[in-house]
Amino acid sequence: PSLYGINRTTWTYATIAEAYEREYGGPISVDKIQGVVKSTGYRWQHARRVLTSPDPDYKAKVEKILDTLQGLKEGERFFFIDEVGPYRVKKYGGRVLMPKDQTETISEPQKSRGKVQFVAALEAVTNQMTWKFTADKSAVSVIGLIEELTLEYHDCPAFFLTWDAISVHGSKAVMEWISAHNEASQGPHIEVVPLPSKSQFLNVIESVFCGMKKAVICNSDYADAREMQSAIARHFEERNQYYLDNPKRAGNKIWDKQSFDIDRLIGGLFKKM
């Protein structure tokens, strides 16, 4: 629009008519413009914001994850790992079924009754969650979760961990603990298969966190942190039992390398993992 002396950054039908008159010296109705635009198949759309990864080794890292998943040997396991929180313990809003003339309101600001955060792992083959409530997001918390996995899956010959590129995951303390564990040859051999930087859309566990939030955080008003933790733990326990009774691998297309479009995935959020 600015090329025609119109002080706007986006077009409207009225400004198109104005620019047309300036360019061709004759008037045109807004209805006429609207009809012509509609006949071309064009329509007004919002730009879509997408998650992208700037990692120069994006493709190689994704291929390594896919090859590892599809090359798992008998008894081996693959874990998607991430941290969540902190969630403040307060009254949360959400979707509510109620009469049209009524509206649910949430007071802000609210006094926090505590906070809850945890680190968790989603096992890709059996779709089972392992979680550990923590006081912070530190290397100690990550190591505590890995220790728990080595106990829970002690009979596995090896397992693989994938996580995002935040500093705590690649910290010296975490890497040294894994190295010492492997050298001791006690329990499963552990290998890290990192995600590309800023590619949380590839971490399947994110969808599990989203489902948990909708189920037990939205519309909640817990009395304290212990009550919120109890609800989160029960949600994961019930989810684990469901997939024990109805076996299904975690994720969807991430298991199928042939239909997994790496080049397309780098430019957008892939929701159905």
Side-chain angles (χ1 to χ4, degrees), residues 138-204:
S138 65
V140 174
S141 300
V142 175
I143 291 171
L145 177 68
I146 300 173
E147 286 180 320
E148 196 159 319
L149 293 176
T150 60
L151 294 174
E152 186 174 348
Y153 294 88
H154 65 276
D155 55 345
C156 294
F159 61 65
F160 302 85
L161 311 176
T162 192
W163 46 40
D164 56 29
I166 65 172
S167 58
V168 67
H169 291 156
S171 68
K172 183 179 179 180
V174 171
M175 293 298 105
E176 286 182 346
W177 189 94
I178 292 175
S179 179
H181 169 84
N182 288 338
E183 288 177 4
S185 299
Q186 295 179 351
H189 179 82
I190 302 173
E191 183 177 338
V192 177
V193 187
L195 289 165
S197 62
K198 295 186 179 179
S199 60
Q200 57 267 42
F201 49 90
L202 288 171
N203 200 346
V204 178

Side-chain angles (χ1 to χ4, degrees), residues 58-73 76-78 80 124-125 160 162 191 193-195 249 253-258 260 262:
Y58 174 89
K59 194 168 185 177
K61 288 182 178 180
V62 173
E63 287 181 337
K64 177 70 180 296
I65 291 171
L66 298 179
D67 288 340
T68 302
L69 270 171
Q70 293 151 27
L72 290 176
K73 297 176 183 177
E76 292 182 343
R77 295 289 181 261
F78 189 101
F80 296 94
V125 177
F160 302 85
T162 192
E191 183 177 338
V193 187
L195 289 165
R249 296 181 302 190
K253 291 183 180 179
I254 201 167
W255 287 92
D256 186 0
K257 191 173 182 178
Q258 299 304 315
F260 194 90
I262 295 176

Side-chain angles (χ1 to χ4, degrees), residues 227-245:
E227 188 176 356
M228 180 182 280
Q229 286 182 352
S230 178
I232 292 171
R234 181 178 174 185
H235 173 81
F236 288 145
E237 288 166 358
E238 291 174 350
R239 183 189 183 281
N240 283 350
Q241 189 59 51
Y242 175 83
Y243 284 110
L244 287 175
D245 298 336

